[in-house]
Amino acid sequence: MPEEPSPEAPDLSDIPSVADEREFFAEVGGAITDWAAIDHLLFRIFNSVLKAEMRHAAVIYYRVNTLSGRISLVSDMLATILPPPNPPNKATPNPVSVAWRGLSNDMNKALAVRNQLAHSPAGAMGETGRKPDGTFGVTDVWWGSYMSHTEKLRGKERDEKELRIHDVRKHRRAVGQFWMRLRAFQLALSALPPESHAPDPPRPIPQSQ
């Protein structure tokens, strides 16, 4: 009897490999450590205003547990020495104040991606559908970071369903730009003359009884 043809072996060329996994998680780890460099510069700026011993400043700064909270803390400290970015009477805005407002806003927006990479699950993902040859099966596979089902229950799901490796690389490029902008801001802040700092509000004169 003629032998029956053996079933066609499944096409595994698109299945994520160990190399794909390592590449993806290497980028995720790099993104987290990129933010650690941002955190270090934020601390330096914080203490340049506080002017305390490093260990004393560290107790205060690292008491705040989140990066968003630390950015807010630095903003509060800078507000004690810099004029507001939108001065009254249509006066010319201080460029250092304007630079910090833009930089802090951009960093806060990017934290959503950083937090997902740090705290959400990640793994191999895929899509199924109709292939070009008309058969039904796996049409795409990739590694990604995604929001868990329980996290979605909060009702705050972001537009992106998951973060793929190209999303992580784009995020890392943005964080690298943050570092350079933050370093330039640190240098501009240190070059400000004392008279450019926001003056202390006048103290009320006690009235004699």
Side-chain angles (χ1 to χ4, degrees):
M1 296 178 60
E3 294 184 1
E4 295 183 1
S6 60
E8 184 179 353
D11 181 10
L12 303 179
S13 60
D14 287 334
I15 301 300
S17 65
V18 173
D20 295 329
E21 178 184 12
R22 290 173 178 170
E23 185 179 17
F24 175 77
F25 283 106
E27 292 290 348
V28 171
I32 301 304
T33 55
D34 290 344
W35 277 103
I38 297 291
D39 196 18
H40 176 75
L41 272 183
L42 287 171
F43 170 75
R44 292 284 183 175
I45 293 172
F46 168 77
N47 198 36
S48 70
V49 180
L50 186 63
K51 302 184 185 305
E53 288 189 23
M54 295 285 282
R55 58 177 181 172
H56 296 159
V59 170
I60 301 171
Y61 181 84
Y62 292 105
R63 178 71 65 175
V64 181
N65 293 325
T66 65
L67 272 170
S68 60
R70 291 172 184 174
I71 293 172
S72 178
L73 176 64
V74 174
S75 294
D76 290 343
M77 291 297 293
L78 290 171
T80 66
I81 65 169
L82 292 176
N86 294 318
N89 303 324
K90 297 183 179 180
T92 302
N94 183 289
V96 180
S97 301
V98 173
W100 173 254
R101 179 181 60 181
L103 177 54
S104 60
N105 287 341
D106 290 344
M107 288 191 295
N108 275 317
K109 291 177 184 177
L111 280 177
V113 174
R114 182 264 175 198
N115 291 340
Q116 178 168 333
L117 294 175
H119 303 298
S120 295
M125 310 182 71
E127 290 180 348
T128 58
R130 190 69 60 183
K131 295 183 176 182
D133 60 4
T135 61
F136 186 86
V138 177
T139 57
D140 193 14
V141 288
W142 64 90
W143 283 89
S145 169
Y146 56 92
M147 293 182 68
S148 66
H149 170 70
T150 52
E151 189 175 0
K152 291 179 181 179
L153 295 176
R154 299 173 59 207
K156 296 183 179 181
E157 183 177 356
R158 294 167 53 239
D159 293 336
E160 296 83 1
K161 298 301 181 182
E162 69 278 324
L163 297 170
R164 305 189 189 190
I165 191 167
H166 62 270
D167 299 311
V168 183
R169 287 170 174 162
K170 179 181 178 181
H171 178 70
R172 293 193 67 185
R173 289 192 294 270
V175 177
Q177 290 294 320
F178 293 158
W179 190 92
M180 289 188 286
R181 291 168 62 188
L182 202 57
R183 179 61 177 147
F185 174 83
Q186 182 186 27
L187 295 174
L189 184 67
S190 65
L192 285 178
E195 58 269 17
S196 66
H197 293 178
D200 293 332
R203 297 182 179 179
I205 301 175
Q207 299 293 326
S208 58
Q209 300 295 329

